[in-house]
Each structure stands twice: as structure tokens, then as C-alpha cells.
């Protein structure tokens, strides 16, 4: 059953969308190079503005337009409507394709995060080259999360907000499960018995067996020169 929007409700929604707060929220999101948080908007909109409701109504308003207001891991951004991506693709511009190994590693990290390199190799059954992980790190889809509290303190990997943005996911739990992958034709041929796609954690908090990465860790990983500062 679909909701019936009365003239009174339509007028109320029009008041919200045409309010100074809603117009300011549009401008702030549009002007930002990165997705913005509700906290960021609350600090900059008029006192008392109902930010969650404003964003919900703006999202509904833009749902049928050429650009959509989307939520990505709790942050908001304008993105080209999915069915119009062909119209804005520059002629001759080919998206960079990942190797099969990189795709496998990315999928393992996405579904099993937090995960170490050794755990990735155990799941794949083959060694993972540093170059494969470097490609994913440079693309901004994978990041160092922390260090596992086990001998050697291996680094753990996880996906980033850019990963969610690129693949059109609001949160990591929106990744498709086994049945969805089968229905989409992405799993074909003989599927190993007992194959499962675990549900990733929805938050970015360190797990109980992870320690945060320190400045010394960054120096060791080559992400920070001794005595320097980390890149933003």
C-alpha cells in the first residue's frame, strides 16, 4: 500500500524544501569536495534546524532528478543518477580495470574485514603480492585499520568510505549475499559446498583484538617519515 500525500502534507514538505535551512544544506553539500556529516551541517545551519528531516526530504526530492542526494556511511553527497552515468562519461575515458587478483583481494577485505594479509592468503590459497594491496590502497578503496594483537602484530585491512561511494553502497552491510550474487549471475559454474558471504561489521570501530595504528606504526609502514605528520 502506497502512502497518500495530502495537499496539506505536500505544502508542509514544500515549506521544508524551500526553507533557508534546506537551501543552506544544499549549498554546503554541493560545495564540499567530500561527503559531509550531519554534525557538520548542524554546526552551520540555523539553530533548531531539523537536519535529519531536511536531509530525508531533500533526498526524496532529488531521487527522480539527474543528481541524487545519497547517504554514504553516515555522510551525505550529491551524485549523478546511476542511469545517467553514460551521459557524463568523458569520451575515450576508460575506467581502470583491476586485475583478477586485486578483485579477489578487495572482495575478501570487504566481506571479512578486519583481515590481515596472512588471512587473505589463507582464504585465497595463494600468496598476495604487495603490489596488489598497493593498487587497492592507492585507489583509496582499502585502508590500514589497526594491528592485530597476535605475534608479529600484523596490520589489519578494511574498506573505506570511497569504496562505498564508488560501488553505490550506503553502508558495508549493503554488500550482496550469496543468493543475491547468484541471482545477478556473478556466481556461476560449480560453487564450493558451504560457500558463504559473511556479513561485515557495520561500524569502523576497532575490534577487541586490534590496537590502533600509532605514529611509529605509520613510520614502519612507510606512510610517515620519521618525525613527520600523516597525510590527511
Amino acid at each position: 500500500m502506497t502512502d497518500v500525500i495530502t495537499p496539506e502534507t505536500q505544502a508542509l514538505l514544500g515549506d521544508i524544501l524551500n526553507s533557508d535551512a534546506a537551501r543552506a544544506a544544499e549549498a554546503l553539500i554541493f560545495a564540499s569536495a567530500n561527503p559531509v556529516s550531519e554534525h557538520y551541517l548542524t554546526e552551520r545551519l540555523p539553530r533548531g534546524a531539523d537536519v535529519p528531516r531536511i536531509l530525508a526530504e531533500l533526498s526524496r526530492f532529488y531521487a527522480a532528478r539527474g543528481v541524487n542526494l545519497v547517504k554514504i556511511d553516515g555522510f551525505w553527497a550529491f551524485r549523478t543518477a546511476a542511469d545517467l552515468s553514460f551521459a557524463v562519461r568523458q569520451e575515450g575515458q576508460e575506467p581502470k580495470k583491476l586485475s583478477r587478483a586485486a578483485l579477489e583481494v578487495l572482495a575478501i577485505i570487504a566481506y571479512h574485514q578486519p583481515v590481515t594479509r596472512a588471512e587473505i592468503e589463507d582464504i585465497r590459497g595463494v600468496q598476495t603480492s604487495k603490489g596488489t594491496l598497493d593498487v587497492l590502497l592507492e585507489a583509496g578503496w582499502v585502508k590500514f585499520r589497526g594491528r592485530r594483537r597476535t605475534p608479529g602484530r600484523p596490520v589489519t585491512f578494511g574498506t573505506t568510505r570511497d569504496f562505498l561511494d564508488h560501488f553505490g553502497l550506503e553502508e558495508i552491510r549493503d554488500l550482496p549475499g550469496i543468493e543475491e550474487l547468484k541471482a545477478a549471475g556473478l556466481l556461476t559454474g560449480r560453487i564450493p559446498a558451504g560457500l558463504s558471504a559473511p556479513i561485515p561489521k557495520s561500524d569502523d570501530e576497532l575490534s577487541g583484538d586490534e590496537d590502533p595504528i600509532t605514529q611509529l606504526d605509520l613510520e614502519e609502514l612507510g606512510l610517515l617519515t620519521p618525525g613527520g605528520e600523516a597525510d590527511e
Side-chain angles (χ1 to χ4, degrees):
M1 181 178 179
T2 57
D3 294 333
V4 177
I5 299 179
T6 64
E8 293 78 9
T9 301
Q10 188 67 48
L12 177 59
L13 295 180
D15 289 342
I16 294 173
L17 293 174
N18 292 324
S19 67
D20 289 341
R23 295 177 64 242
E26 282 180 294
L28 287 166
I29 298 170
F30 179 79
S32 176
N34 301 304
V36 302
S37 66
E38 292 186 14
H39 177 71
Y40 172 89
L41 294 172
T42 299
E43 288 186 329
R44 289 160 178 78
L45 295 183
R47 184 184 297 274
D50 189 345
V51 174
R53 185 174 185 184
I54 288 172
L55 291 170
E57 296 306 332
L58 286 173
S59 180
R60 182 186 302 181
F61 172 75
Y62 280 102
R65 303 187 68 82
V67 292
N68 300 152
L69 179 61
V70 298
K71 191 176 184 180
I72 309 161
D73 196 24
F75 288 65
W76 294 83
F78 282 111
R79 293 292 181 261
T80 303
D83 61 327
L84 294 177
S85 58
F86 72 92
V88 297
R89 186 180 300 121
Q90 295 182 10
E91 186 175 352
Q93 183 182 27
E94 289 292 332
K96 185 176 180 180
K97 294 183 179 180
L98 294 178
S99 66
R100 178 176 177 178
L103 284 172
E104 289 178 356
V105 172
L106 180 61
I108 290 170
I109 293 173
Y111 281 99
H112 293 267
Q113 60 186 305
V115 62
T116 66
R117 180 173 173 177
E119 290 166 344
I120 293 171
E121 293 176 345
D122 184 56
I123 294 171
R124 292 186 67 214
V126 296
Q127 287 190 337
T128 298
S129 70
K130 181 178 181 296
T132 298
L133 287 168
D134 285 344
V135 166
L136 298 176
L137 289 166
E138 290 170 5
W141 293 348
V142 166
K143 66 182 178 182
F144 296 112
R145 282 178 48 103
R147 306 204 79 157
R148 187 66 54 77
R149 293 176 184 171
T150 55
R153 299 185 64 246
V155 174
T156 55
F157 295 92
T159 53
T160 65
R161 191 178 303 126
D162 285 345
F163 168 83
L164 298 177
D165 193 1
H166 182 85
F167 289 97
L169 303 171
E170 181 175 326
E171 60 179 15
I172 199 65
R173 286 180 178 270
D174 291 333
L175 283 170
I178 289 294
E179 295 306 318
E180 292 173 287
L181 293 172
K182 289 179 183 177
L186 297 176
L187 286 179
T188 58
R190 298 184 62 183
I191 301 174
L195 178 67
S196 64
I199 300 176
K201 296 181 178 179
S202 61
D203 58 62
D204 202 31
E205 295 294 326
L206 295 176
S207 61
D209 63 350
E210 285 181 287
D211 287 322
I213 289 182
T214 66
Q215 178 169 316
L216 289 177
D217 293 325
L218 293 174
E219 293 176 6
E220 180 183 328
L221 295 168
L223 301 178
L224 187 67
T225 57
E229 294 184 355
D231 294 333
E232 293 293 336

